[in-house]
Amino acid sequence: MAQAPVTVTVTGAAGQIGYALLFRVASGQLLGPDTPVRLRLLEIPQAVQAAEGTAMELDDCAFPLLTGVDVTDDTRRAFDGVNVALLVGARPRTKGMERGDLLEANGGIFKPQGEAINAGAADDVRVLVVGNPANTNALIAQAHAPDVPAERFTAMTRLDHNRALSQLAAKSGASVADITKLTIWGNHSATQYPDIFHAEIAGKSAADLVGDRQWLADEFIPTVAKRGAAIIEARGASSAASAANAAIDHVHDWAHGTPDGDWTSAGVISDGSYGVPEGLISSFPVVSRGGRFEIVQGLELNDFSRERIDASVQELQEERDAVAALGLV
Ligand code: NAD
Ligand code: LMR
């Protein structure tokens, strides 16, 4: 019997990430070549017409796996029966906006979306938050979905992971395919910590092969952590195709598993592992097994790593405190 379609909801569907993402979802790159997909595109009223244009283009691709596309500005409708929720739309920081204003504005988006997921999502729903500040937006949505297991809410740090792979490959002359066990810890922000101390290049210690702490501290870490800002500077717009690609990687691995002998990075709810306070959505090394992300346990952390993880986790705690003060979590 043919497989039932999986409902994938994309918010911010008329935005630039949405445009880079939807066609890949519809072509089968998110869930595999045997899984039919029904798309729900959620937008704000002013952008519904643009999203309808994208829906017309999706039709025009005649994707065999795409069973339907609905466009809506109704949050409850968008998440009714959803299996995979890609929360991309967010309120960008504009001139004169303080951090607190940004968190509050995003609370106005992610609280009702969390509530709608709680009310109508399928039992197996998986949620990936891309819209910034991704970790804290994921926390807000999760806090308003008490009936959904907290582990189903994740935040995207896969783009940071992929950026780190690429920088390490360039430095070492290796192929990205030879690099395993790299980790992004903490927040998807400039405080994130890309960690190569457990990484391997063709089975050998990456830190030993690179052997250059100066490069690590002064080039590698800031290049990865500030790559988003560098893209904005160069393109005049934030990363879009690479962000969409990372969202595909994240959900694909979540659904299909990570390769043996390797792990990836994702913002997942902390169970207290590595001293990260329980309940924070922080990036960790994760494997995906049986459709679930699990935090890789037992890694030794040197002082260099500990200090940087603590700094990023401190920022996550401050963000949680700020949204708690606004009554959002
Ligand atoms: P964009 O401005 O091009 O598109 C955002 C879209 O979201 C707009 O079409 C807007 O109308 C829509 N939107 C706003 N509020 C909405 C709501 N309540 N419901 C539904 N749609 C809504 O932005 P973009 O370039 O596509 O980026 C989207 C987000 O992703 C931004 O917050 C960006 O900072 C973030 N981002 C995250 C990562 C990451 O690695 N986590 C990487 C790149 C970008
Ligand atoms: C990125 O990492 O490219 C984005 O999060 C940058 C941004 O601020 O949108």
Side-chain angles (χ1 to χ4, degrees):
M1 202 175 76
Q3 201 180 323
V6 170
T7 299
V8 179
T9 300
V10 178
T11 75
Q16 43 154 11
I17 295 177
Y19 197 70
L21 180 61
L22 287 162
F23 298 85
R24 297 189 58 184
V25 175
S27 70
Q29 292 178 56
L30 187 78
L31 297 168
D34 301 322
T35 306
V37 171
R38 160 189 290 278
L39 276 171
R40 295 254 178 75
L41 278 47
L42 179 67
E43 258 297 349
I44 54 173
Q46 308 88 290
V48 160
Q49 190 184 334
E52 278 167 351
T54 305
M56 288 161 69
E57 284 203 74
L58 283 160
D59 283 346
D60 294 350
C61 292
F63 288 119
L65 290 173
L66 186 60
T67 65
V69 186
D70 303 313
V71 181
T72 183
D73 60 5
D74 178 335
T75 307
R76 292 281 167 142
R77 217 182 122 212
F79 292 112
D80 188 33
V82 63
N83 305 103
V84 178
L86 304 175
L87 308 188
V88 178
R91 173 74 162 83
R93 193 200 290 245
T94 40
K95 213 170 168 211
M97 217 178 175
E98 298 298 332
R99 195 171 178 79
D101 301 332
L102 181 73
L103 291 169
E104 190 166 18
N106 277 297
I109 296 174
F110 289 88
K111 176 175 181 238
Q113 290 184 358
E115 290 167 343
I117 288 168
N118 197 56
D123 287 346
D124 67 349
V125 67
R126 291 184 169 95
V127 183
L128 169 63
V129 177
V130 175
N132 281 320
N135 300 54
T136 297
N137 287 341
L139 191 68
I140 294 169
Q142 182 267 318
H144 292 91
D147 302 332
V148 177
E151 65 183 42
R152 304 287 186 76
F153 285 82
T154 63
M156 192 165 91
T157 55
R158 184 59 175 264
L159 178 54
D160 310 296
H161 184 96
N162 289 345
R163 288 167 171 164
L165 281 175
S166 172
Q167 293 298 322
L168 186 56
K171 169 73 176 173
S172 62
S175 148
V176 286
D178 290 332
I179 302 175
T180 53
K181 301 180 184 168
L182 196 75
T183 306
I184 304 294
W185 298 90
N187 202 1
H188 172 68
S189 76
T191 68
Q192 67 177 265
Y193 172 52
D195 175 3
I196 69 163
F197 286 104
H198 303 94
E200 294 175 0
I201 302 178
K204 299 203 175 72
S205 159
D208 289 350
L209 283 172
V210 170
D212 179 353
R213 283 278 176 109
Q214 189 99 35
W215 173 79
L216 193 58
D218 297 345
E219 287 189 46
F220 175 73
I221 295 171
T223 300
V224 174
K226 296 181 187 160
R227 187 71 162 181
I231 304 275
I232 292 171
E233 181 67 27
R235 245 171 58 84
S238 63
S239 59
S242 56
N245 180 67
I248 298 275
D249 285 350
H250 176 112
V251 175
H252 186 275
D253 284 0
W254 195 356
H256 295 278
T258 41
D260 288 341
D262 196 6
W263 63 67
T264 186
S265 304
V268 295
I269 194 134
S270 177
D271 57 1
S273 293
Y274 300 102
V276 179
E278 216 172 303
L280 281 182
I281 295 190
S282 175
S283 189
F284 284 99
V286 294
V287 291
S288 163
R289 301 268 178 274
R292 298 179 54 173
F293 279 135
E294 291 166 15
I295 298 171
V296 175
Q297 296 295 330
L299 301 178
E300 298 260 334
L301 299 174
N302 60 22
D303 291 346
F304 183 96
S305 296
R306 190 71 261 176
E307 198 182 298
R308 285 164 175 79
I309 294 170
D310 289 349
S312 195
V313 168
Q314 174 68 31
E315 183 184 50
L316 284 173
Q317 272 178 292
E318 287 165 11
E319 288 185 14
R320 177 164 70 178
D321 291 348
V323 292
L326 294 164
L328 290 168
V329 295

